């Protein structure tokens, strides 16, 4: 059986693409750099992270973008030997204006370098390419700032590969269905119909996928008789929720599947601490309309394996020794590429050196690298060498959602100049420092640990990597979730990412004090 989710942890807005016997899924990364994650599979069951294509500032400049902005809803496609990746780099969110430039990059080698970006338009987000017989079409949702409307429907325009720009008339396709909040458009062609598939209802518990069809790509489009054909919104007891923002793929044997984002709440309609993940369902066609093979609009927790030849990848490393010249793909930074002024894997061979920069509130330059939390129960441990001289020098192990929500076990210095260990938590920008400060010896390696258990987080430390002592009481991990951030802020804030675990260093004095990390271990429990 194929277990859902197929991509665990923060991996939303899947765009699936088949090239021969190979399947690829691109997912959103928002403010995390490099932009876009691409996973590879040959059997739709086993997946491996292989690329993060937007890895140059010239392709993706996110310095200063707000939390949960940046890369929204990429679309990965392939035609005549070329991969195309369409993406939005959202620059602002507050107020009525939304700045949403859309771009496309290309490559002939999905593991190689991607081109410089070509600007498309800024009328909305969730852009997507459809390769018709002799044309490329670009479809996107429209942002309508008038009278608080926001979701303005779906529009279509031709893309000229020769001129490297959109050309010709713009066609308004639909405002969507009664579910509203229409976004995430993708176009497909099967037999004599064009299909326009949409995400609707918002990306929370009312999320749904609808589909329309037409004889001409420009319309008019008629709705599926049983829209939405994919949703969990009527079944709050189901173990997966929020299903929507989907994409379709046909196998080399003529079978069809749909990938979609989902959330796994800890309680009914509760908090999803692992963020929005990616699931899969099988599709059958009736009267030229797609239906889930589950027999309803509700996706299953597991589906039968495809008739594709099984292909299992080697298990990913659980321990990172930082003995190579590049960070493992699992790790990302916030908003910007980290050059030698911030991060080095060569200055002290076998160690990751982070050079303290701005605070955890910064949307500009943070010395922070992290990977997704992908399991409800996990143990994360690291070994750190750090010699702070003042209270503005901090470094350690962090569980991070955004600039306003995190738990941070860190080393610093007190007013007596002693090296000390404590916890700093942030909830909706309200900082809470633990009263307990543990004095630790100077010139010695300190081992820091975080252990998660659903909505609980317990920090601990050791001087020998053997005997660990708890630091403080168990903390509420569930504040590091979309659901908490959205529902407990003083005003609406975008919250579309997930919990990351990682390493960071701050020097709030002069941006020079560094921390060395010998290794980082992530163990599912």
């Amino acid at each position: 059986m194929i277990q859902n989710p197929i991509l665990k942890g923060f991996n939303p807005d899947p765009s699936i693409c088949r090239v021969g016997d190979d399947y690829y899924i691109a997912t959103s990364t928002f403010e995390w750099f490099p932009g876009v994650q691409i996973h590879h599979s040959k059997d739709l069951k086993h997946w491996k992270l292989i690329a993060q294509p937007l890895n140059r500032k010239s392709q993706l400049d996110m310095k200063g973008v707000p939390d949960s902005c940046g890369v929204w809803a990429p679309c990965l496609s392939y035609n005549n030997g070329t991969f195309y990746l369409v993406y939005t780099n959202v620059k602002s969110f507050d107020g009525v204006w939304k700045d949403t430039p859309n771009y496309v990059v290309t490559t002939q080698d999905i593991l190689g370098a991607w081109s410089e970006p070509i600007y498309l338009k800024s009328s909305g987000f969730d852009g997507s390419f459809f390769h018709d017989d002799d044309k490329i079409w670009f479809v996107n949702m429209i942002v309508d700032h008038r009278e608080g409307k926001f979701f303005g429907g779906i529009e279509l325009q031709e893309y000229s590969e020769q001129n490297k720009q959109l050309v010709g008339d713009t066609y308004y396709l639909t405002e969507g269905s009664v579910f509203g909040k229409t976004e995430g458009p993708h176009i497909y062609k099967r037999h004599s119909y064009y299909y326009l598939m949409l995400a609707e209802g918002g990306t929370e518990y009312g999320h749904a996928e609808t589909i329309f069809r037409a004889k001409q790509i420009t319309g008019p489009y008629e709705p599926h008789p049983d829209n939405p054909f994919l949703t969990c919104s009527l079944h709050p007891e189901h173990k997966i929720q929020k299903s929507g923002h989907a994409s379709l793929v046909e196998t080399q044997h003529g079978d069809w599947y749909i990938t979609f984002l989902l959330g796994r709440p800890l309680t009914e309609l509760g908090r999803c601490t692992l963020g929005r993940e990616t699931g899969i369902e099988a599709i059958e066609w009736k009267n030229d309309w797609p239906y889930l093979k589950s027999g309803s609009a509700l996706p299953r927790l597991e589906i039968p394996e495809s008739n594709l030849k099984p292909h299992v990848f080697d298990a990913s490393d659980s321990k990172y020794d930082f003995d190579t010249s590049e960070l493992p793909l699992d790790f990302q930074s916030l908003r910007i590429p980290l050059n030698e002024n911030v991060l080095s894997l060569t200055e002290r061979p076998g160690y990751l050196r982070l050079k303290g920069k701005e605070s955890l509130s910064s949307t500009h330059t943070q010395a922070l690298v992290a990977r997704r939390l992908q399991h409800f129960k996990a143990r994360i441990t690291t070994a750190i060498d750090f010699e702070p001289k003042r209270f503005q020098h901090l470094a350690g192990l962090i569980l991070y959602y955004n600039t306003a929500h995190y738990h941070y076990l860190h080393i610093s210095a007190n007013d007596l100049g002693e090296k000390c260990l404590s916890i700093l938590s942030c909830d909706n920008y309200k900082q809470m420092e633990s009263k307990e400060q543990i004095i630790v010896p100077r010139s010695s390696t300190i081992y820091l640990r975080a252990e998660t258990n659903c909505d609980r987080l317990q920090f601990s430390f050791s001087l020998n990597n053997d005997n660990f002592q708890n630091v403080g009481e168990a903390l509420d991990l569930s504040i590091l979730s979309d659901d908490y951030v959205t529902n407990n802020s003083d005003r609406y804030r975008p919250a579309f990412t997930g919990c990351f675990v990682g390493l960071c260093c701050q020097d709030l004095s002069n941006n020079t004090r560094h921390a060395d990390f010998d290794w980082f271990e992530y163990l599912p429990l």
Side-chain angles (χ1 to χ4, degrees), residues 410-441:
H410 66 280
I411 297 169
S412 188
N414 61 21
D415 290 340
L416 299 177
E418 297 170 308
K419 184 175 172 180
C420 59
L421 185 66
S422 62
I423 298 171
L424 176 63
S425 293
C426 189
D427 180 353
N428 195 23
Y429 294 106
K430 180 182 179 182
Q431 288 194 347
M432 298 158 285
E433 298 185 47
S434 61
K435 296 180 180 179
E436 179 183 19
Q437 283 195 347
I438 300 172
I439 306 302
V440 293

Side-chain angles (χ1 to χ4, degrees), residues 76 145 152 211 265 274 311 325 369 406 435 516:
L76 180 66
H145 64 270
I211 197 164
L274 301 183
H311 185 89
S325 60
V369 294
Y406 50 81
K435 296 180 180 179
D516 290 338

Side-chain angles (χ1 to χ4, degrees), residues 251-478:
T251 73
Q252 57 269 45
H253 305 303
D255 298 317
W256 286 77
Y257 289 85
I258 186 169
T259 59
F260 52 93
L261 74 77
L262 62 83
R264 289 184 286 167
L266 296 174
T267 58
E268 187 172 305
L269 301 183
R271 299 171 186 172
C272 303
T273 54
L274 301 183
R276 297 176 303 156
E277 307 171 281
T278 287
I280 192 168
E281 248 293 357
I283 290 289
E284 59 184 354
W285 292 86
K286 300 176 184 179
N287 300 319
D288 285 323
W289 288 111
Y291 288 84
L292 302 190
K293 277 192 176 180
S294 65
S296 72
L298 190 67
R300 292 169 286 183
L301 302 179
E302 60 180 21
I303 65 172
E305 294 184 18
S306 68
N307 60 359
L308 303 173
K309 183 179 178 180
H311 185 89
V312 181
F313 297 101
D314 293 338
S316 58
D317 293 333
S318 61
K319 188 174 183 180
Y320 309 88
D321 288 317
F322 302 128
D323 53 3
T324 62
S325 60
E326 294 183 352
L327 274 177
L329 273 181
D330 290 333
F331 285 86
Q332 291 179 279
S333 59
L334 283 167
R335 296 177 176 83
I336 61 172
L338 298 186
N339 57 30
E340 288 286 325
N341 292 326
V342 184
L343 176 152
S344 177
L345 289 160
T346 59
E347 289 183 9
R348 186 181 178 185
Y351 287 78
L352 167 65
R353 173 165 290 180
L354 290 176
K355 304 171 184 181
K357 298 302 173 189
E358 296 171 355
S359 74
L360 291 166
S361 298
S362 174
T363 59
H364 292 80
T365 307
Q366 286 202 44
L368 184 154
V369 294
R371 55 151 292 162
R372 287 151 179 77
L373 182 67
Q374 294 180 289
H375 303 84
F376 290 116
K377 297 181 181 181
R379 178 183 296 148
I380 304 98
T381 312
T382 190
I384 178 175
D385 292 346
F386 182 54
E387 297 300 322
K389 297 299 184 184
R390 55 185 296 159
F391 74 96
Q392 291 172 314
H393 298 160
L394 306 90
L397 178 64
I398 191 166
L399 282 88
Y400 180 96
Y401 182 87
N402 64 12
T403 58
H405 300 85
Y406 50 81
H407 293 302
Y408 184 22
L409 175 61
H410 66 280
I411 297 169
S412 188
N414 61 21
D415 290 340
L416 299 177
E418 297 170 308
K419 184 175 172 180
C420 59
L421 185 66
S422 62
I423 298 171
L424 176 63
S425 293
C426 189
D427 180 353
N428 195 23
Y429 294 106
K430 180 182 179 182
Q431 288 194 347
M432 298 158 285
E433 298 185 47
S434 61
K435 296 180 180 179
E436 179 183 19
Q437 283 195 347
I438 300 172
I439 306 302
V440 293
R442 286 199 172 273
S443 302
S444 63
T445 299
I446 308 298
Y447 301 88
L448 306 180
R449 174 170 287 174
E451 193 160 316
T452 67
N453 186 352
C454 296
D455 63 348
R456 297 287 93 187
L457 164 65
Q458 180 65 61
F459 281 126
S460 60
F461 84 103
S462 174
L463 301 179
N464 57 13
N465 197 30
D466 187 16
N467 301 311
F468 279 82
Q469 173 186 333
N470 284 353
V471 181
E473 301 295 326
L475 301 170
D476 183 0
L477 180 64
S478 72

Side-chain angles (χ1 to χ4, degrees), residues 154-186:
I154 305 299
E155 65 181 11
L156 177 77
Q157 192 173 4
E158 183 183 348
Y159 173 74
S160 167
E161 196 145 30
Q162 180 178 357
N163 297 328
K164 298 188 184 306
Q165 64 182 22
L166 298 178
V167 296
D169 294 335
T170 298
Y171 300 91
Y172 186 84
L173 301 185
T174 180
E175 64 177 359
S177 73
V178 295
F179 293 94
K181 299 182 179 180
T182 304
E183 55 188 343
H186 292 297

Side-chain angles (χ1 to χ4, degrees), residues 34-163:
V36 179
Q37 295 222 115
I38 296 179
H39 286 79
H40 172 230
S41 177
K42 283 183 171 292
D43 59 10
L44 299 177
K45 178 178 181 178
H46 304 97
W47 294 86
K48 180 182 179 180
L49 177 63
I50 61 166
Q52 293 162 335
L54 304 179
N55 54 21
R56 305 191 300 274
K57 185 179 178 182
S58 59
Q59 297 169 316
L60 182 61
D61 186 355
M62 297 190 294
K63 196 167 191 175
V65 304
D67 293 330
S68 283
C69 292
V71 176
W72 286 14
C75 173
L76 180 66
S77 60
Y78 179 85
N79 190 51
N80 292 331
T82 298
F83 289 94
Y84 299 79
L85 182 67
V86 174
Y87 62 99
T88 314
N89 182 9
V90 179
K91 297 290 190 178
S92 61
F93 195 91
D94 290 341
V96 299
W97 310 106
K98 304 292 179 287
D99 297 292
T100 56
N102 292 270
Y103 304 92
V104 62
V105 292
T106 62
T107 188
Q108 280 72 51
D109 178 5
I110 200 165
L111 298 178
W114 290 68
S115 71
E116 288 300 294
I118 297 169
Y119 173 75
L120 298 171
K121 67 194 310 184
S122 301
S123 62
F125 52 84
D126 291 1
S128 175
F129 267 5
F130 169 67
H131 303 271
D132 208 350
D133 297 334
D134 57 351
K135 291 182 179 181
I136 300 176
W137 294 94
F138 176 75
V139 61
N140 66 282
M141 68 81 68
I142 306 166
V143 173
D144 189 342
H145 64 270
R146 298 170 298 179
E147 299 179 356
K149 185 177 181 180
F150 190 73
F151 294 93
I154 305 299
E155 65 181 11
L156 177 77
Q157 192 173 4
E158 183 183 348
Y159 173 74
S160 167
E161 196 145 30
Q162 180 178 357
N163 297 328

